[in-house]
């Protein structure tokens, strides 16, 4: 059954889920496979419950093991040849009738680098469409854009996680690693942890200081703390003079945001803002880290920019033992946004509208640079026009479940329903797959080899540990099969991961995210390779900003940012803020983790978390099922009371399906630069379950 050399001890691989990519060992067993935690710097030998239970899905009855094709309205088992044949003829027909852009693709940040790369190439070369984007647009695109503005480059954490051990103080903003990356918490300081989160999360419980701003007001808070840094004499002037540009212009905006003013906007006491400034300034080593709570706003890029300005004023980025970092979320969140599944991108973090980049990549692909399409639409904008006059008529989805995870999910499901043709490749029948015309069953992490790039920008090798069940194929194999049927030479779309990686290396050579010096052999030898790795002898770049930032003059940019507040403020009709996020025992849309009994026992369904006084004002009791109503839809879920909640805010996890989808509520207002939606704030009202809402567009 096994193919690897170290049968007795199992194969060294990494967890299928989040960006921490905990090291694990997978061994074939009577029940399929067992997993053990393995020593790796990010996890220090630990794993969370999702990691421990991850092998269950390999043999779960929920697992897809045969292609399905819709016949007379019903998904029926089919063989691979027929399924791929149906896809090919439908895509060719749609392309002939409506043009190449009538076929769209939607990828995922959980896919290996090889898959992301081949998917982008498949779109541009085999289909000739510009219409490709992916779920990472919902995930870290705002921090990516802010990082590029400030530092000239997007390496989420430009230092190894273990560097955090040197910190006396860490400011953690909009991040709840105690639930979203439990083993990461070991890297945080015992004292000196400051958490900014509207909820008193398990992470906030561990903090020396917890600031609890109203959702969507972070940017004002960042301005207030920066004001305190300057006014109280904590500005690192020599750093600002020698390593940055743009402080004076930024200060002109910040000068108006004295802490008392910020207190009125955010609800965070002025004294606490000053305390944070003083704690960070007093620390010998300090870090500022952000995650989705900071980013998932229509002003996410500016909000992250506000926090980066604070880090620069304190002289943190690009110093050994200090820094700014953004915690990427998905398993390959970092690599997934580097190799071309993004609407505006070519491999190596190259831009599709850069003539030199087109020339280089087209050369590697053996095609004419002029044949490469232009940039396409961003994720939500793509989903929003499916089936419309000028939108795609067919969509191929690899590694995402937008029926549950996209904003304004009721509308997105409607758009998916308006397509002429939907194809989903998945390991389970996700809510999106259930709507498809063809479903392709693919291999899972332990059944295939491939590389991932973790939250530190370190490239990892996942080794195949067990054979897949009969009937499933890898995503690479699927793309190979489809490309060949679409008339491409077979060798242009290899199905072997290492062959794809060799091509990716060449395509990324000379790009910002240069992987050309990485080989499977180096990874097998256990080398810690953080990109850029421009040559085979190159040791990698764990800390790219120590000497200089990635702008031509080597300096970081202060970027003046203005506070506007949430896109949808509360009003008399919708008087409460709804915010959304994660639970330890569920992952993302829940497609994988809702199939695991042990996890369902812990987190079986959605809930609406609120302060007891909020519940009392509405005449609601704990456990009672209520309706949360927004301008876009409504959710039915039981009330959960938490006395640490803000009275103006309710929280819903987004992992659940059907009428419990938090995204039926969310506002698809997009950041103007990153095109990331405002998942973290929308205006809602609460109603008892029996009443009917009238003004919703489900
Ligand atoms: N268990 C579990 N772990 C996961 C995942 C999962 O689904 N489940 N997903 C993975 C992925 S893809 C990601 S992106 C990461 C996400 O990891 P995190 O960013 O840690 O997760 P979230 O729960 O989305 O958001 C973090 C916090 O932001 C807070 N928040 C809401 N609004 C605001 C605001 O306006 N300002 C601030 N400062 N905070 C706010 C929420 O209360 C929440 O506690 O987790 C990864 N790990
Ligand atoms: N309200 C709200 N909504 C959110 C968020 C939020 O905080 N609040 N967070 C957003 C964020 S940060 C993210 S990252 C998205 C994530 O949301 P989704 O994009 O829906 O992510 P997953 O649930 O991980 O979907 C991955 C799908 O791919 C399948 N899959 C797993 N591995 C593979 C593989 O190798 N190949 C193929 N073909 N399929 C595979 C899984 O079974 C699953 O169905 O959700 C976003 N939506
Ligand atoms: S923290 Fe993330 S990578 Fe580690 S076991 Fe949990 S889900 Fe897997
Ligand atoms: Mo994410």
């Amino acid at each position: 059954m096994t193919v690897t050399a170290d049968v007795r001890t199992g194969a060294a691989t990494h967890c299928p889920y989040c960006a921490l990519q905990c090291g694990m060992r997978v061994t074939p067993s009577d029940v399929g496979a067992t997993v053990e935690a393995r020593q790796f710097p990010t996890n220090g030998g630990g794993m969370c419950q999702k990691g421990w239970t991850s092998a269950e899905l390999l043999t779960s009855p929920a697992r897809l093991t045969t292609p399905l094709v819709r016949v007379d309205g019903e998904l029926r088992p089919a063989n691979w040849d027929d399924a791929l044949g149906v896809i090919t003829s439908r895509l060719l027909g749609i392309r002939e009738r409506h043009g190449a852009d009538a076929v769209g693709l939607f990828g995922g940040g959980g896919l290996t680098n090889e898959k992301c790369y081949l998917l982008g190439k498949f779109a541009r070369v085999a289909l000739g469409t510009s219409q490709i984007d992916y779920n990472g647009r919902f995930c870290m695109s705002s921090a990516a854009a802010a990082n590029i503005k400030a530092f000239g480059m997007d390496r989420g954490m430009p230092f190894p996680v273990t560097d955090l051990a040197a910190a006396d103080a860490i400011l953690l903003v909009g991040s709840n690693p105690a639930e979203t990356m439990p083993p990461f918490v070991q890297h945080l300081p015992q004292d000196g942890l400051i958490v900014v989160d509207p909820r008193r999360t398990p992470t906030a419980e561990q903090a020396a200081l917890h600031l609890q701003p109203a959702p969507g007001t972070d940017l004002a808070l960042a301005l207030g703390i920066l004001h305190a840094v300057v006014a109280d004499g904590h500005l690192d002037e020599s750093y600002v003079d020698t390593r940055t540009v743009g402080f004076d212009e930024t200060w002109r905006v910040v000068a108006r945001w004295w802490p008392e003013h910020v207190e009125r906007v955010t609800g965070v006491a002025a004294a606490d803002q000053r305390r944070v400034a003083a704690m960070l300034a007093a620390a010998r080593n300090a870090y500022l880290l952000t995650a989705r709570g900071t980013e998932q706003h229509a002003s996410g890029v500016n909000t992250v920019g506000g926090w980066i300005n604070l880090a620069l004023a304190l002289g943190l980025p690009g110093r050994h033992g200090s820094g700014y970092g953004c915690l990427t979320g998905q398993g390959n969140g970092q690599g997934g946004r580097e190799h071309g599944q993004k609407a505006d991108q070519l491999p190596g973090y190259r831009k599709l509208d850069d003539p030199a980049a087109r020339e280089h990549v087209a050369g590697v692909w053996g095609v004419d640079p002029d044949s490469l399409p232009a940039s396409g639409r961003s994720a939500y904008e793509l989903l929003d026009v499916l089936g419309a006059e000028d939108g795609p008529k067919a969509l191929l989805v690899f590694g995402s479940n937008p029926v549950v995870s996209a904003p304004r999910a009721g509308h997105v499901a409607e758009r998916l329903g308006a397509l002429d043709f939907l194809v989903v490749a998945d390991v389970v029948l996700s809510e999106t797959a259930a709507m498809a015309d063809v479903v392709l069953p693919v291999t899972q992490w332990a059944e295939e080899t491939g590389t991932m790039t973790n939250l530190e920008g370190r490239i990892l090798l996942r080794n195949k540990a067990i054979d897949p069940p009969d009937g499933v194929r890898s995503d690479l194999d699927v793309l190979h099969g489809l490309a060949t049927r679409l008339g491409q030479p077979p060798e242009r779309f290899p199905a072997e991961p290492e062959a794809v990686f060799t091509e990716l290396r060449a395509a990324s050579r000379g790009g910002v995210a240069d992987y050309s010096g990485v080989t499977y052999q180096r990874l097998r030898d256990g080398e810690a390779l953080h990109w850029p790795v421009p040559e085979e002898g190159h040791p990698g770049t764990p800390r790219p900003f120590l000497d200089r930032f990635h702008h031509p003059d080597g300096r970081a940019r202060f970027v003046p940012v203005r506070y506007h507040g949430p896109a949808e403020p509360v009003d008399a009709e919708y008087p409460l803020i709804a915010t959304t996020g994660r639970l330890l025992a569920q992952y993302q849309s829940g497609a994988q983790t809702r199939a695991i009994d042990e996890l369902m026992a812990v987190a079986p369904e959605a809930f609406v978390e609120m302060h007891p006084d909020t519940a009392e004002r509405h005449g609601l009791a704990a456990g009672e099922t209520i309706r949360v109503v927004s301008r876009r839809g409504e959710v039915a879920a039981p009330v959960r009371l938490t006395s640490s909640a803000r009275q103006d805010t309710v929280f819903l996890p987004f992992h659940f399906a059907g009428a419990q989808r938090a995204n039926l509520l969310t506002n698809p207002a997009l950041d103007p630069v990153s095109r990331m939606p405002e998942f973290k704030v929308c205006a809602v009202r609460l109603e008892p379950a029996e009443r009917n809402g009238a003004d919703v567009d489900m």
Side-chain angles (χ1 to χ4, degrees):
M1 190 175 186
T2 186
V3 295
T4 47
D6 50 349
V7 179
R8 268 187 217 113
T9 53
T13 185
H14 295 267
C15 175
Y17 302 117
C18 86
L20 201 59
Q21 283 297 288
C22 295
M24 61 162 62
R25 201 167 279 288
V26 176
T27 315
S29 75
D30 301 344
V31 291
T34 55
V35 302
E36 295 163 85
R38 179 169 65 87
Q39 199 64 36
F40 193 74
T42 56
N43 60 308
M47 280 198 306
C48 80
Q49 198 180 13
K50 295 185 298 301
W52 289 114
T53 53
S54 56
E56 258 191 57
L57 198 61
L58 294 167
T59 51
S60 156
R63 179 82 194 265
L64 293 169
T65 51
T66 176
L68 304 170
V69 175
R70 196 171 293 279
V71 183
D72 299 333
E74 249 178 73
L75 283 173
R76 304 219 177 120
N79 67 43
W80 274 96
D81 257 353
D82 290 348
L84 296 180
V86 169
I87 297 173
T88 310
S89 65
R90 293 295 306 271
L91 295 185
L92 287 173
I94 287 169
R95 185 162 76 177
E96 199 173 300
R97 245 172 302 136
H98 303 285
D101 279 353
V103 179
L105 289 106
F106 201 88
L111 303 174
T112 61
N113 288 314
E114 291 78 359
K115 295 178 185 186
C116 299
Y117 167 81
L118 209 64
L119 197 63
K121 180 180 180 185
F122 179 77
R124 274 79 181 220
V125 175
L127 292 170
T129 178
S130 67
Q131 301 297 299
I132 173 168
D133 210 51
Y134 81 120
N135 69 4
R137 196 64 81 159
F138 301 160
C139 187
M140 212 197 100
S141 55
S142 285
N147 276 320
I148 290 169
K149 279 191 192 189
F151 307 121
M153 180 167 122
D154 158 31
R155 257 272 312 270
M157 271 177 76
F159 45 81
V161 167
T162 44
D163 278 10
L164 296 174
D168 313 298
I170 293 186
L171 176 60
L172 196 56
V173 189
S175 165
N176 179 19
E179 290 193 88
T180 54
M181 294 183 184
F184 177 82
V185 174
Q186 69 189 279
H187 304 290
L188 298 174
Q190 296 276 327
D191 330 294
L193 177 65
I194 309 161
V195 170
V196 177
D197 195 308
R199 297 186 303 134
R200 192 160 179 82
T201 58
T203 311
E205 290 285 349
Q206 301 179 26
L209 182 60
H210 173 207
L211 310 186
Q212 216 170 340
T217 63
D218 262 50
L219 178 46
L221 184 59
L223 295 170
I225 300 174
L226 179 50
H227 191 287
V229 163
V230 176
D232 298 350
H234 304 308
L235 184 69
D236 187 338
E237 286 179 30
S238 73
Y239 175 96
V240 169
D241 285 348
T242 56
R243 298 214 55 188
T244 72
V245 295
F247 175 77
D248 293 343
E249 215 186 323
T250 293
W251 175 247
R252 276 198 283 280
V253 179
V254 179
R256 294 194 292 276
W257 288 89
W258 60 98
E260 282 71 16
H261 174 40
V262 169
E263 176 173 340
R264 287 194 291 278
V265 175
T266 63
V268 174
D272 281 342
Q273 298 171 47
R274 295 200 170 93
R275 220 173 122 201
V276 173
M279 278 172 79
L280 292 173
R284 209 166 17 91
N285 288 306
Y287 286 89
L288 198 166
L289 305 174
T290 62
R292 300 307 83 70
T294 329
E295 283 181 70
Q296 290 173 331
H297 301 280
S299 57
V301 176
N302 282 349
T303 303
V304 175
W307 291 111
I308 292 177
N309 286 343
L310 174 62
L312 290 172
L314 290 162
L316 307 181
R319 254 182 52 204
H320 211 305
S322 292
Y324 162 76
C326 173
L327 304 172
T328 295
Q330 298 186 84
N332 198 24
Q334 179 73 54
R337 59 178 191 274
E338 297 167 356
H339 299 297
Q341 63 176 331
K342 220 173 156 189
D344 57 351
Q345 197 191 57
L346 289 169
Y349 227 122
R350 289 183 155 94
K351 299 289 282 184
L352 196 46
D353 60 8
D354 168 4
R358 294 170 71 89
E359 175 104 27
H360 171 79
V361 175
V364 174
W365 289 350
V367 300
D368 177 356
D370 293 337
S371 72
L372 298 178
S375 295
R377 295 178 172 93
S378 77
Y380 181 77
E381 291 165 296
L382 177 63
L383 296 171
D384 186 36
V385 297
L386 295 177
E389 180 105 35
D390 60 342
K393 308 290 185 285
L395 186 75
L396 279 65
V397 180
F398 287 79
S400 184
N401 184 14
V403 168
V404 174
S405 58
R408 199 184 170 199
H411 171 70
V412 166
E414 232 172 68
R415 296 322 312 165
L416 286 161
L419 285 167
D420 290 346
F421 190 57
L422 175 63
V423 179
V424 177
D426 207 308
V427 299
V428 292
L429 193 69
S430 72
E431 287 69 22
T432 306
M435 294 185 69
D437 298 289
V438 181
V439 180
L440 301 173
V442 293
T443 46
Q444 294 191 43
W445 97 110
E447 299 158 351
E448 56 186 24
T449 292
T451 63
M452 308 285 281
T453 304
N454 76 356
L455 78 172
E456 329 160 281
R458 176 171 172 177
I459 298 132
L460 313 168
L461 185 65
R462 280 184 180 170
N463 286 300
K464 177 174 171 177
I466 59 171
D467 284 333
D470 288 343
V472 307
R473 290 187 185 178
S474 77
D475 293 291
L476 296 180
D477 212 346
V478 169
L479 294 172
H480 170 82
L482 287 174
T484 313
R485 282 172 173 78
L486 288 164
Q488 292 292 315
E491 66 282 0
R492 192 176 269 170
F493 286 87
E496 263 304 304
E498 193 163 356
V500 179
F501 190 75
T502 302
E503 213 188 284
L504 179 160
R505 291 172 55 199
S508 78
R509 188 186 308 277
V512 175
D514 190 332
Y515 283 39
S516 56
V518 183
T519 64
Y520 272 31
Q521 193 53 51
R522 293 186 75 183
L523 298 174
R524 276 192 201 104
D525 292 343
E527 282 195 68
L529 298 175
H530 303 72
W531 67 257
V533 193
E535 329 221 338
E536 280 199 40
H538 192 283
T541 316
R543 301 174 191 87
F545 300 145
L546 287 187
D547 300 325
R548 58 194 316 279
F549 297 101
H550 201 71
H551 287 299
D553 60 4
R555 288 166 177 249
R557 295 325 187 230
F558 277 95
V559 179
V561 287
R562 287 179 175 74
Y563 173 73
H564 297 293
E568 186 180 54
V570 294
D571 57 19
E573 228 183 319
Y574 298 94
L576 289 171
I577 303 165
T579 191
T580 61
R582 295 166 162 79
L583 307 176
L584 200 164
Q586 293 289 347
Y587 192 68
Q588 312 277 60
S589 74
Q592 292 159 283
T593 45
R594 280 185 277 116
I596 296 177
D597 293 344
E598 229 177 296
L599 299 177
M600 284 303 273
V602 183
E605 61 169 347
F607 53 82
V608 190
E609 187 180 272
M610 68 185 78
H611 192 277
D613 291 353
T614 309
E616 199 184 300
R617 279 203 317 272
H618 288 82
L620 303 171
E624 181 182 345
T625 294
I626 55 155
R627 292 164 48 229
V628 184
V629 183
S630 83
R631 287 187 176 83
R632 292 152 297 276
E634 60 176 73
V635 168
V639 171
R640 183 176 288 187
L641 301 182
T642 312
S643 57
S644 61
R646 289 181 59 98
Q647 297 201 20
D648 57 3
T649 303
V650 300
F651 167 80
L652 296 97
F654 80 100
H655 312 293
F656 300 94
Q660 291 204 330
R661 271 177 294 168
N663 278 318
L664 292 171
L665 305 172
T666 48
N667 183 4
L670 304 180
D671 183 282
V673 175
S674 68
R675 320 306 288 168
M676 183 168 195
E678 185 140 286
F679 286 118
K680 289 289 190 260
V681 187
C682 71
V684 298
R685 63 168 178 261
L686 307 180
E687 291 182 7
E690 63 275 11
R691 253 183 266 156
N692 280 320
D695 51 351
V696 293
D697 71 344
M698 287 182 70

